[in-house]
Amino acid sequence: MAISRRAVLAGAGATAAGAVLASASSAAATEPAALARRASRTGALPIASRNSAWTRSGAGPLYWNIYGWAFPHNAPIPETEWQANIDWLAKDFAPHGYRMACTDGWIEGSSRTDRHGYITSYNDSWQHDWAYWSRYLKKHEMTLGVYYNPLWIHKAAVADPSKTVIGRPDIKVADLIVEDDYFAGGIGGNTLHWVDVTKDGAKEFVQGYVKHFKQLGVPYLRIDFLSWYENGQDANIGTVGKGHGRDNYETALHWMHEAAGEDMELSLVMPHLFDHAAAEIKYGDMVRINADADKGGWDRLSGGRQTWQDAWPNWHNPFLGFTGYADRSGRGQLILDGDFLMMNTFANDDERRSCISLMTLAGSPLAISDLHSNIGDHGWAYTNPEVLALHNAGLVGKPYFHNGTAYAKAPSSRDSERWAGQLPDGTWAVALFNRGDAATTRSLDLGTLGISGTAAVRDLWQHKDLGRTQTIEAELPAHGVLLAKVTPDDRSRYQAAFAAWGGGASFDNVLADYDGMGYTKITETGHSVTFAVHAPRTGIHRLRIRYNAQSSARLTLGVETPSHKVVVSPQRLTFRATSDGWGTLTGTTKLAKGENLVTVMRTSADTGAIALNHITLS
């Protein structure tokens, strides 16, 4: 039988470059600061993540996807329906930034391939191919996103001996498979074969597939069923085919990463995310962190299984998935994907506002899957300009952390109903949610954000200024939310607890007298903390770093733009021991006009460990 999503559902911080920075001992020290020694390396710093231009920009893309048609019909979308929705998207949503239309699933019926075995259209029933639709979208100033796994080979290509591997005319496409190794072999599917990455020519085929779509002008490739490839197991179904092993899985991801480069965003779907996404963060831009959207509605957003499992989907709903992987998100790390959004499936506007607010605070893509025929009057949820401004600024927030214990081990370690994120201009976004079925009160003290005194607060859904306060508090209806913009008087301080943690750097709050929610620990080679900072001009800016160190440490500072432009070369910093208190390292650093990614990192040439509380740039 043909496999579909319905069958499945049934059952280091950014690279950086440095600055001129003076090092100082703790705040209590009196000796003058000494110039930090310049790092011997130049250019980009080593990191553990893919760290692409896509992840460095922060939040995921704004786009439309066919899921809202294909899932309820359990069939590929007809071409006429695809076009009708594109035309609707171009008119009603592209002006708000939703400038991509993407296919999804139900792809077994695409058997037409070029001479290298690469599919040329979404479905055989479609009159037009990928190239046509790429051009059609381009005329509307939009782009084409494609759902396909470069590890799939359609049986029609295998059966045709004229199909040869790109760049390897001596190798037939049929030579890349193992007999009976089908994509959905364990449950009767035999339309698509898996590529055996150990075969000669497999690398050329897989990378050629990625480049095939790139040449068509596709900037976004959605790669599904990765868990099935890795070990042949599905948590809901059981055995679904032959497992290919961890090493082969990583090899395949590495090939795709190399071929994608900076021109294509890689969306990894249905990964097991073993070892807390250790493989996926190295080679992908975006990962799914919850089960499929299915029929949508509140149950898929907040309900279902409330516990973690060590297989895809680790968490069932986006609230828990975003919370559990919040330590893997942020600039240069992973974009967390909460799957598709269908405003027509929610019971009321409170739920719609909660859905968009959660996706926005977590930095998720906003992927419309409503149709022109069923969205009704709910399009407003996608087009609130004040909410989109947060997304467009690259917001990636975090839930409230009670402690540094992993969420999978201790669900009480984080609060999925209270979220905050800092924007490059030093302002904040705060969301208070009510996942319960009865009205309740939620609150957040602004001291959590490191804000002293009161700050101006604005309700972004009501478009209403709420005045100045020190504690944000809201009476929330069932499934309701307050989404607020917070503007402190002093916007020069950036909190490490809300920055991007790379290479295994982690949150903690056991030391006394920390500022805000907590701090980030940089203790091992590869650990990093990256802050997104907006500078009004290019030039030298005063920098202060609040830290705690039991003994002296030597780390590296870097500054780059999101496009990888090095502002200045990496700089070595010396942090002197602070005994039992907190110290401040003071100096200056160069920033470029606009957005900068400022990273504090321990490279292989560095030593020691610190707890990093915040930086101040004025």
Side-chain angles (χ1 to χ4, degrees), residues 107-139:
I107 38 71
E108 295 83 359
S110 179
S111 67
R112 295 195 296 255
T113 61
D114 66 12
R115 60 195 180 99
H116 300 302
Y118 302 145
I119 60 169
T120 57
S121 65
Y122 169 69
N123 190 268
D124 291 351
S125 66
W126 281 28
Q127 177 184 354
H128 302 294
D129 60 11
W130 294 124
Y132 172 88
W133 286 111
S134 181
R135 293 192 300 268
Y136 187 91
L137 284 157
K138 187 175 182 180
K139 291 178 181 177

Side-chain angles (χ1 to χ4, degrees), residues 244-292:
H244 297 84
R246 183 70 169 182
D247 289 345
N248 290 338
Y249 172 66
E250 285 209 44
T251 294
L253 291 183
H254 191 185
W255 290 349
M256 296 177 205
H257 147 74
E258 286 184 336
E262 291 286 296
D263 302 315
M264 176 178 279
E265 188 168 11
L266 297 180
S267 172
L268 308 183
V269 186
M270 279 182 61
H272 282 310
L273 297 176
F274 291 140
D275 301 322
H276 207 49
E280 292 78 11
I281 199 169
K282 289 189 290 186
Y283 306 120
D285 299 306
M286 185 186 316
V287 293
R288 274 279 303 285
I289 44 75
N290 58 279
D292 283 31

Side-chain angles (χ1 to χ4, degrees), residues 229 249 381 475 479 539:
Y229 180 82
Y249 172 66
E475 294 283 344
H479 308 171

